[in-house]
Amino acid sequence: MIDLRSDTVTRPTAAMRDAMMAAPLGDDVWGDDPTVNAFQATLAERAGKEAALLFPSGTQSNLVGLMAHCERGDEYIVGQSAHTYRYEGGGAAVLGSIQPQPIENAPDGSLPLEKIAAAVKADDVHFARTRLLALENTIGGNVLTAEYVQQATELARTHGLATHLDGARLFNAAVATDTSLKQLCQPFDSVSLCFSKGLGTPMGSALVGSEALINRARRWRKMVGGGMRQAGIIAAACQHALDHHVADLAHDHRRAARLAEGLATFPAIEVTSQATNMVFVQIDKAHVAPLAAWLKEHGVLIELLYATRMVVHRDISDSDIEQVLNIIKRYFDQA
Ligand SMILES: Cc1ncc(COP(=O)(O)O)c(C=O)c1O
């Protein structure tokens, strides 16, 4: 199968599996796992933060990040289409008693500054306490500009808000803009980073921030069931990805651009956006279901649930891209 549904479908390489097998292990809930400890220290340094904490998933890392910032009855400002708000089961509200204050994302994924300012509540018993601004980078493949991030986080600080970034694909942003992870994390109090997307680990995310924030997060992580025992097996995969897979994201971006270029040649397909490793298209209504079925029949999977999206990742080669375009061409030739 050529699986373009998401970059989460990547499988660990043989070298990554070897690194996992060779990892020295201990009980991480006791703080005893040397591989976890080394990975967290390396990542914190690379992100320019005091501390890092390993999580099984990005959903849990975001949830615990929000819970480490906000108390019961607080609210966080977030985009309508942000993963934390839309695709994480409402965890902040359900498990954290944190009220989301969603505002509409601009087409580039940013949250308009005037809308952020307007959403901040006055200190009044009628209102939840506005405590946090959460952004996402990349969002829908788009990289938030450094200038925007600076302005949005400064605005948050002016209003006394903390800032969290869902950086599930922040390494894609780093590679696409040739910017260090440290620079991209610098404006935020906390950042959630995923290793199980384009970086190819079977699982593993991390939250980075101040020592105090990570200490609070460690308690919440335990409470929500994220205290893992011999977690070095996961940390070793994440460390391997950090050491060997980051630069490869540039290939994904180049291949996504080629895919978008090829798709744009079909009159029934409109490429609505392509950025980093994601391509969004609109397909003439009459062709959506039959084309998806044709693709599946010919070994290609695409995402149709949220939007018509194709995501390029390290298990997709140059020839896979050409093959997908060829299969689509054959569909339209016979349609
Ligand atoms: C932007 C974003 N944030 C967070 C997550 C959650 O990560 P996980 O699937 O590891 O829970 C995802 C997952 O696809 C994501 O796309």
Side-chain angles (χ1 to χ4, degrees), residues 6-8 56-60 62 83-84 88 136 138 166 168-169 192 194 196-197 204-205 278 309:
S6 175
D7 46 12
T8 56
S57 71
T59 299
Q60 196 178 80
N62 275 326
H83 204 276
T84 58
E88 295 180 7
E136 185 175 315
T138 64
D166 178 356
R169 295 183 181 80
S192 171
C194 286
S196 58
K197 314 269 176 318
S205 290
M278 297 202 185
R309 182 181 85 166

Side-chain angles (χ1 to χ4, degrees), residues 250-273:
H251 299 303
D252 300 345
H253 301 170
R254 175 177 54 74
R255 289 178 182 132
R258 166 64 195 135
L259 179 62
E261 177 193 59
L263 290 169
T265 64
F266 301 109
I269 297 181
E270 185 196 346
V271 176
T272 50
S273 89

Side-chain angles (χ1 to χ4, degrees), residues 40-103:
Q40 290 177 163
T42 306
L43 184 66
E45 212 216 318
R46 192 140 158 194
K49 300 292 186 204
E50 286 174 7
L53 191 64
L54 181 69
F55 284 85
S57 71
T59 299
Q60 196 178 80
S61 176
N62 275 326
L63 170 67
V64 166
L66 299 179
M67 290 170 78
H69 283 292
C70 300
E71 293 174 9
R72 184 179 188 208
D74 288 350
E75 74 171 3
Y76 81 113
I77 296 174
V78 62
Q80 287 275 6
S81 50
H83 204 276
T84 58
Y85 173 63
R86 195 151 176 182
Y87 302 114
E88 295 180 7
V94 176
L95 301 170
S97 299
I98 304 161
Q99 166 169 282
Q101 168 58 73
I103 58 182

Side-chain angles (χ1 to χ4, degrees), residues 117-175:
V120 178
K121 311 289 184 297
D123 183 5
D124 181 304
V125 289
H126 292 89
F127 302 133
R129 292 172 299 250
T130 314
R131 188 57 57 101
L132 178 75
L133 170 69
L135 299 179
E136 185 175 315
N137 196 13
T138 64
I139 177 160
N142 287 311
V143 180
L144 297 178
T145 67
E147 190 191 8
Y148 168 75
V149 168
Q150 207 56 45
Q151 288 172 344
T153 52
E154 257 171 46
L155 176 68
R157 265 189 296 280
T158 307
H159 288 281
L161 311 185
T163 53
H164 172 77
L165 179 70
D166 178 356
R169 295 183 181 80
L170 196 61
F171 288 100
N172 292 80
V175 167

